Amino acid sequence: MPHLTVHVPENRLAGNESALAAALTDAVADVYGAWARDLVGIVLTGVPTGRFAQGGKAVDTHVSVVLGIRAAAFDRPEAAEISARLAAALTDAVTGVLGEELRTGTMVELVASPQERTFVGGAPAE
């Protein structure tokens, strides 16, 4: 189950939650296929003004997208290509909804979770 945690400046997120969730879901489904659409879980967190910083200065042009996926995804021969496609698609989703000026400040991190450390509803995920 791909799950995303997205931190966005609150002033940019407000009113765009549904559109951003839909665009991020579409991005994952475009890379993995339609089967993945219903499995995508998303948490959107608005970050108050002044709480994103770069070089010690507050900015409102940064977005952090963390995608947790099974570690086995990185063992596939096409893992590098899929990772690059995910990063590009998720960045495009963010900028398509919130504005192109966020592109250079959008960080996508793919985090691998071994199957034995992935749980849903308190039970090991299948």
Side-chain angles (χ1 to χ4, degrees), residues 23-104:
L24 292 166
T25 300
D26 289 346
V28 173
D30 287 349
V31 173
Y32 280 116
W35 65 267
R37 179 174 303 283
D38 290 340
L39 301 176
V40 177
I42 300 173
V43 174
L44 299 174
T45 302
V47 178
T49 299
R51 301 253 176 110
F52 267 115
Q54 179 72 41
K57 296 178 182 165
V59 295
D60 72 347
T61 54
H62 283 51
V63 174
S64 170
V65 179
V66 178
L67 171 62
I69 56 176
R70 295 260 179 94
F74 297 108
D75 295 334
R76 300 172 62 170
E78 68 277 14
E81 176 194 346
I82 290 172
S83 295
R85 288 179 56 209
L86 277 169
L90 293 169
T91 300
D92 288 347
V94 167
T95 59
V97 173
L98 302 178
E100 187 63 33
E101 67 276 9
L102 294 176
R103 182 170 298 279
T104 59

